[in-house]
Amino acid sequence: MKYSRGRLLSAFERCTNGYRRPFDTGHFNDQCVIGPATGYGPAVNEWESLKTGRPMGRVRVPVRRTPASRSAAGQVSSDPQGPRARDKGCDRAPFGRMDARGLRARGKRYNRASFGWVDLRGPHEVWGLRLRGVSTSHRPLISTVGAAILACIALTSCSPRPDGSSAPGLTAPTAAAPQIVITPSDRSRDVALTSTVVVRSDAPLQSVTVTRGASKSQDTTAGVLAGQLSADGRSWTSTGGLFADTQYQVSAKTSTVNGISGTVDAAATFTTANPEKSFKVSWEPVAGQTVGIGTPVTLTFSAPVSDRAAVQRRLVVTTDPPVNGAWNWASDRVVRWRPQQYWKSGTRVHVEANLAGLDVGGKRFGVKDRAMDFVIGSAQISYVDAATHTMKVYRDGVLQRTLAVSLGKSSSPTMSGPHNVLGIAPTVIMDSATVGIPKGDPDYYYETVQWNVQFTSGGEYVHSAPWSVGAQGEDNVSHGCVNASPADAEWFYRFSRVGDIVDVRNTGRPPDTSQLGNEWSISWQRWTAGSALPPATETTGAPPAGAGMVGAAASPPPTTRS
């Protein structure tokens, strides 16, 4: 409403006598005044003329983050914080920076004015008043005008009438309701997998939940996106990656706080993009499997990895009980994790590959996270001796059976060293051409072989060999495998599991550690040197300080013939 000059001066003079002259003419429009303690409304003040009769434009003081306003006479915007006043006292209010474009007085155009603190206690002064595009001679006038404008706006609400009532037309403001802003915004589509979900509010957040729907294209189930709340409780940021081609639902609620009216709930739904090129992982062992004490965790990626450290930071191994372990890169597509010593029977292992949202370059992105669990079974170790042509099979330190065997002949010796079983199969076609012995060579073979236990990726097995039964226990005549009788081979096949140890000795051929199955032939120093991250930064479920090593290899039994 409009105030007459007399009424305006009366309210003004009750507080101060210092700034009366600029308001000798014109009138004061007040749509919503500043409250004495907490609430602020968008006070709009117009001066039709200022002593000289020249138009002053319009000033808008926003309550909260309101955008700058424009008028034909000019534009003024303020600091995002807006004005504030001390609780109850209304002693001082920071007005931040106010940009005045189009402000005119005495024929001079003023581009910008910045106001700092306004003291409402009296005498009313303005600190930090800065003018841009203003000559020195005009500064006193604008300073007086600015102080009078701001003091008057505040005092018309802070100053009571003599009878204790508010000025006519003025009402005490109500506290503002809280607001919640969610990023990505509601109904967004094709959201980049590298995006972060952020929830912000001007009040403390009571709860934030981000649920993930199942995705048929990615073969994923529903889940929850992890996140972290800021120290002041007013911002929540996701810490997990976004799955591809997946719908997410965000819900948030504020808690009560002084100066803000009530609480508010907010929700948003968005869907992520499905990149043309994906980055995935497969692994051994598989989820739910019970494996041997020599099992490494082996991850194979769908594309070469250029930044191994970035990928390794997304990989996690945790164990119960804790063990000391590390990652080792076999190639740019294969990385392995193993403990320093053989696993202890009964250990439970949890593996995560949190690749969702990871940009690996070449417009290729991790499209989902994966996790799996497996258990370490009994300690099964077989000692194979090329000198005695025997294999002694132990479970938990107890001898189960001694087998007569034949190892690789001198021209193709079996690889020495402790090996871990890579797989078992009832039938395998063995073609010597795949290991460098072509068809037409005197040593060429192509056989369908039964009861196979593989212990190197180069193609070495313990298997049934009825053709060499006469040499088994007496001589080494194979092309590198461990030959056994059909009955013994079947027994061993049914006894074995992935990760069991086959420890071959006295062959004269050192282990080839570039092949899988030879992880335990690599010293611990060399193994840890193959990690892309220093040991202190690996997330591998290392034991707490002071914990000892577990799962030590069993002492080899005597290798005498039985």
Side-chain angles (χ1 to χ4, degrees), residues 36-96:
T38 56
Y40 291 95
V44 179
N45 314 290
E46 296 181 357
W47 288 269
E48 303 292 348
S49 59
L50 177 66
K51 197 157 182 140
T52 60
R54 297 186 180 277
M56 285 295 295
R58 174 175 292 185
V59 178
R60 179 180 292 274
V61 180
V63 178
R64 301 194 314 269
R65 301 166 185 256
T66 50
S69 64
R70 293 180 180 273
S71 72
Q75 170 182 314
V76 175
S77 65
S78 81
D79 181 276
Q81 291 183 352
R84 301 190 305 271
R86 291 182 179 175
D87 291 344
K88 310 295 185 183
C90 202
D91 289 339
R92 179 177 289 187
F95 274 75

Side-chain angles (χ1 to χ4, degrees), residues 335-395:
V335 64
R336 308 160 294 182
W337 190 96
R338 72 165 176 85
Q340 186 171 1
Q341 301 184 45
Y342 293 155
W343 294 102
K344 180 179 180 180
S345 297
T347 300
R348 297 184 177 274
V349 185
H350 176 76
V351 183
E352 297 178 12
N354 298 314
L355 303 178
L358 177 64
D359 183 353
V360 295
K363 298 182 180 180
R364 189 181 298 275
F365 299 88
V367 294
K368 62 181 178 181
D369 295 342
R370 291 194 65 189
M372 66 100 168
D373 298 89
F374 63 91
V375 179
I376 306 300
S378 54
Q380 299 185 166
I381 304 177
S382 299
Y383 296 94
V384 184
D385 193 334
T388 62
H389 317 293
T390 60
M391 180 168 73
K392 294 181 179 293
V393 182
Y394 289 80
R395 173 183 285 160

